[in-house]
């Protein structure tokens, strides 16, 4: 069963969240800036056709960016909700803990544990091999001086 990293460590997920929030912030800035500019020019009576008509289109672009950012955040929340439904690999217990044995050894102390280790039966030891006790044998010494210097078949003597 292939395992995927947790959602908290997923770079695409956090990329979606960051880009969505940045899109919301950018759309908010564009919309409020353009609407404030249009309001001041219309109340002053200095508004031109470009300020009014182009300003409306840019404010609408800001609103679209805000909507796209909100949709991105909703998708990120949906992905987070769906990731909780994904089955996780069960935790494998290698060896169950025997709490009684630890309590006994800690109550007896380290001296009792050493005494038990020293009293181990000698039957578990491996049989001794007579050749292994003698140790490794030495290789024979070369018979002539040229072999001792490494001058032999296939070697070149350094002079």
């Amino acid at each position: 069963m292939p395992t995927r990293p947790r959602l908290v460590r997923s770079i695409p997920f956090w990329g979606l969240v960051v880009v969505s929030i940045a899109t919301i912030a950018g759309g908010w800035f564009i919309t409020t800036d353009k609407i404030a500019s249009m309001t001041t020019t219309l109340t002053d009576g200095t508004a031109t056709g470009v300020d009014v008509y182009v300003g409306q289109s840019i404010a609408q672009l800001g609103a679209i960016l805000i909507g796209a950012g909100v949709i991105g955040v909703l998708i990120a929340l949906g992905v987070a909700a769906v990731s909780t439904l994904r089955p996780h690999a069960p935790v494998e217990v290698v060896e169950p803990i025997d709490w009684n044995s630890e309590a006994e050894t800690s109550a007896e102390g380290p001296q009792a544990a050493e005494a038990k280790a020293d009293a181990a039966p000698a039957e578990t030891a491996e049989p001794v091999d007579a050749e292994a006790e003698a140790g490794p044998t030495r290789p024979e010494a070369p018979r002539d001086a040229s072999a001792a210097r490494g001058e032999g078949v296939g070697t070149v003597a350094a002079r």
Side-chain angles (χ1 to χ4, degrees):
M1 178 171 137
T3 59
R4 289 187 228 150
R6 293 178 47 185
L7 189 62
V8 174
R9 301 186 70 189
S10 175
I11 293 173
F13 173 76
W14 289 111
L16 175 65
V17 170
V18 168
V19 168
S20 298
I21 292 174
T23 304
I24 291 171
W28 187 268
F29 175 74
I30 289 173
T31 303
T32 55
D33 180 50
K34 195 45 75 176
I35 289 178
S37 172
M38 284 181 7
T39 302
T40 56
T41 56
L42 285 172
T43 54
D44 289 347
T46 60
T48 62
V50 173
D51 290 333
V52 174
Y53 297 113
V54 175
Q56 289 177 4
S57 299
I58 293 175
Q60 189 174 13
L61 173 69
I64 291 170
L65 288 175
I66 291 172
V70 168
I71 289 173
V73 168
L74 291 176
I75 289 173
L77 289 173
V79 167
V82 169
S83 72
T84 61
L85 301 175
R86 184 175 58 189
H88 296 285
V91 177
E92 295 182 25
V93 177
V94 177
E95 181 179 323
I97 299 173
D98 185 14
W99 295 104
N100 294 330
S101 66
E102 287 186 22
E104 291 171 4
T105 57
S106 63
E108 293 172 354
Q111 292 82 11
E114 289 176 10
K116 285 182 183 180
D118 292 339
E123 297 171 4
T124 59
E126 295 181 14
V128 178
D129 188 15
E131 291 179 15
E133 282 186 4
T137 60
R138 287 184 74 178
E140 278 188 30
R143 296 186 181 173
D144 62 343
S146 65
R149 288 192 309 263
E151 296 174 2
V153 179
T155 60
V156 178
R159 295 184 189 200

